[in-house]
Amino acid sequence: MTTLYVDGDACPVREEVFRVATRRNLPVVVVSNGARAARPSGLPSVRDVLVAEGADAADDWIVENIVRGDVCITADIPLAARCLERGARALSPRGRPWTTDNIGGALAGREIAQGRRDAGLMTGGPAPQTRDDRSRFLTALDAAVEAARRDLLAPPPRPWVSFE
């Protein structure tokens, strides 16, 4: 069964995830660290996991538990890349599916932006979530869940073998 993993630290689309999960009867795991614990949902299908404080503690927990056929909702590009490596799907809160085709460019862009921030050339965070962003996210989450369910039905990918 597909499980939705939510990077719970400041996730702006938790309620949307809960709505889709309830409609599709999917389990949800919201993972937060001790510094910024997410408010418990109170829903029976939602498991709240509180990990120790630490820069990547929540990310590490998700990566250790996510498997092929699951979906991670995160704005954290390195976490999305790690989930893809595990064979899972990843989706940004704005509805952008992270794929093996686009994650490399996103990681590179993140490094460039970090360099600009470190040099004092950029300030501020992401723009607030709009109604269009939420709508796009809901559509993308439905598509990601369907794709993840197909992943579960397909045979696992064969490991790459070199014949050199």
Side-chain angles (χ1 to χ4, degrees):
M1 170 178 278
T2 295
T3 299
L4 304 179
Y5 287 85
V6 178
D7 183 4
D9 299 332
C11 179
V13 290
R14 286 170 30 106
E15 297 304 319
E16 288 82 356
V17 171
F18 299 157
R19 195 171 347 144
V20 170
T22 299
R23 180 170 39 85
R24 291 177 161 268
N25 197 29
L26 297 173
V28 177
V29 181
V30 178
V31 185
S32 305
N33 72 29
R36 298 188 306 188
R39 168 182 40 85
S41 71
L43 297 170
S45 65
V46 177
R47 177 178 164 208
D48 295 294
V49 174
L50 183 63
V51 298
E53 289 186 37
D56 291 324
D59 298 359
D60 292 343
W61 193 96
I62 290 171
V63 172
E64 289 170 11
N65 290 276
I66 201 165
V67 295
R68 184 170 170 257
D70 292 338
V71 179
C72 179
I73 294 87
T74 184
D76 184 321
I77 298 167
L79 172 57
R82 293 172 68 193
C83 290
L84 292 174
E85 288 172 3
R86 298 273 308 187
R89 300 211 169 240
L91 183 65
S92 82
R94 294 194 188 272
R96 180 178 186 182
W98 298 114
T99 67
T100 55
D101 291 335
N102 69 15
I103 199 72
L107 285 166
R110 180 183 178 277
E111 289 301 314
I112 291 168
Q114 184 62 50
R116 292 177 56 87
R117 279 190 295 278
D118 291 347
L121 298 174
M122 286 176 49
T123 59
Q129 195 87 357
T130 67
R131 185 180 313 211
D132 286 343
D133 292 331
R134 291 180 191 283
S135 176
R136 189 172 26 261
F137 173 77
L138 286 167
T139 300
L141 181 56
D142 272 327
V145 166
E146 283 305 312
R149 286 184 168 172
R150 284 192 305 273
D151 291 346
L152 288 173
L153 297 174
R158 294 179 53 193
W160 185 79
V161 178
S162 173
F163 293 103
E164 293 181 42

